[in-house]
Amino acid sequence: NIDWSLLIAAVGLALVFEGIPYFLFAERMPLMLVKLAEQPPKFLRFIGLTAIILGLLVVAFGRSLSL
């Protein structure tokens, strides 16, 4: 059974976090994106996997707080 309101809130929060760097560092983001695009796929996969693991840890921690 899916809690749709929680899912929509999580997606909204992810969009907020994704938008923060573009808002705060609008002038620097194009250069940062170019540098990111120049990285080898192995490095990008490592960064992606690290983000996934950290995200899962944060979700697990958050779920442990609600009894």
Side-chain angles (χ1 to χ4, degrees):
N1 202 5
I2 296 175
D3 184 353
W4 288 102
S5 64
L6 180 61
L7 180 63
I8 291 170
V11 170
L13 188 59
L15 290 172
V16 168
F17 283 124
E18 286 287 329
I20 288 173
Y22 294 96
F23 180 77
L24 294 178
F25 309 110
E27 294 82 12
R28 289 188 235 157
M29 283 305 292
L31 180 59
M32 291 173 65
L33 292 173
V34 168
K35 286 183 179 182
L36 188 61
E38 293 172 350
Q39 300 303 314
K42 186 175 181 179
F43 176 75
L44 297 175
R45 283 189 183 96
F46 173 75
I47 295 298
L49 180 61
T50 302
I52 290 169
I53 291 170
L54 286 174
L56 288 172
L57 289 172
V58 168
V59 168
F61 176 69
R63 289 183 58 94
S64 73
L65 294 177
S66 62
L67 301 174

